[in-house]
């Protein structure tokens, strides 16, 4: 009777232990999946910011864009001067006014384009926040954020930051080493261990 109770207790204990191990493995897998999703969102946010920033720079930034607006202002001013029907100061004032309106329009449209960077920047900040709280990924995630937000256009810095982040992420996603099996009264011993040794 006592041996039956002991066996039932040991069986329940072993079952509970295995259930705890299975739940721990399940929780660890869910945590790794959540971490992978957070990392994917960070990379997607970086790419969204780069696309928006590169588009803005291509259309509105650099000397090419400034040259285009200068030529446009000169052309509009020249046409207004030619159509003024008079010469002297009134024609020059009309031409300079038209050129100023062209530059003002360009400034306004450029500002609207720059304001569009607010959404991807906010997305980047939201994506990096949970990763910054991790000791194993925080420094690498911060480097990615700094490269994307403060050093836009520095491709070498961005590439190095992402490479370091992926290295840290790979280490963080590695499943823990399997625990050394504990002794259990219900676990069968290998056949070789059961033989008497002479």
């Amino acid at each position: 009777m006592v041996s039956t109770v002991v066996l039932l207790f040991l069986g329940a204990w072993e079952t509970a232990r295995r259930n705890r191990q299975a739940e721990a493995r399940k929780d660890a897998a869910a945590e790794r999946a959540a971490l992978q999703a957070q990392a994917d969102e960070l990379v997607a946010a970086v790419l969204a910011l780069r696309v928006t920033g590169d588009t803005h720079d291509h259309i509105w930034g650099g000397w090419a864009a400034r040259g285009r607006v200068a030529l446009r202002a000169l052309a509009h001013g020249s046409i207004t001067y030619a159509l003024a029907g008079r010469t002297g100061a009134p024609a020059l004032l009309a031409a300079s006014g038209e050129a100023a309106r062209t530059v003002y329009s360009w400034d306004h449209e450029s500002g609207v384009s720059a304001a569009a960077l607010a959404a991807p920047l906010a997305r980047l900040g939201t994506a990096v926040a949970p990763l910054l709280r991790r000791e194993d990924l925080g420094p690498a995630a911060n480097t990615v954020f700094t490269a994307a937000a403060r050093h836009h256009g520095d491709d070498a810095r961005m590439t190095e930051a992402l490479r370091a982040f992926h290295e840290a992420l790979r280490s963080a996603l590695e499943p823990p080493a399997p625990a050394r099996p504990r002794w259990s009264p219900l676990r069968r011993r290998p056949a070789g261990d059961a033989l008497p040794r002479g």
Side-chain angles (χ1 to χ4, degrees), residues 34-72:
L35 178 58
Q36 182 66 62
Q38 290 171 352
D40 290 345
E41 175 57 21
L42 175 62
V43 174
V46 167
L47 293 177
L49 179 61
R50 291 198 68 180
V51 167
T52 306
D54 288 348
T55 302
H56 172 79
D57 290 347
H58 177 71
I59 298 174
W60 305 106
W63 291 108
R66 292 181 177 86
R68 285 194 300 271
V69 73
L71 287 175
R72 191 182 309 161

Side-chain angles (χ1 to χ4, degrees), residues 50-185:
R50 291 198 68 180
V51 167
T52 306
D54 288 348
T55 302
H56 172 79
D57 290 347
H58 177 71
I59 298 174
W60 305 106
W63 291 108
R66 292 181 177 86
R68 285 194 300 271
V69 73
L71 287 175
R72 191 182 309 161
L74 181 62
H76 288 178
S78 299
I79 292 171
T80 301
Y81 182 83
L83 296 177
R86 53 191 182 275
T87 59
L92 287 174
L93 284 174
S96 62
E98 185 61 30
R101 278 191 290 276
T102 301
V103 172
Y104 172 78
S105 175
W106 182 85
D107 282 342
H108 174 71
E109 293 174 10
S110 174
V112 170
S113 176
L117 289 168
L121 274 171
R123 180 182 179 185
L124 179 64
T126 302
V128 77
L131 297 170
L132 290 177
R133 291 192 289 266
R134 296 181 58 106
E135 291 183 6
D136 51 354
L137 286 176
N142 184 57
T143 302
V144 170
F145 176 81
T146 303
R150 297 183 184 174
H151 302 285
H152 174 72
D154 190 340
D155 292 339
R157 183 189 292 263
M158 188 75 255
T159 300
E160 179 62 24
L162 285 174
R163 187 191 62 76
F165 176 73
H166 283 296
E167 287 294 326
L169 178 65
R170 183 181 300 120
S171 298
L173 289 175
E174 285 181 359
R180 189 175 176 185
R182 295 181 179 178
W183 177 83
S184 171

Side-chain angles (χ1 to χ4, degrees), residues 23-34:
E23 285 296 324
R25 286 192 297 269
K26 184 179 177 181
D27 291 345
E31 184 179 346
R32 287 195 299 273

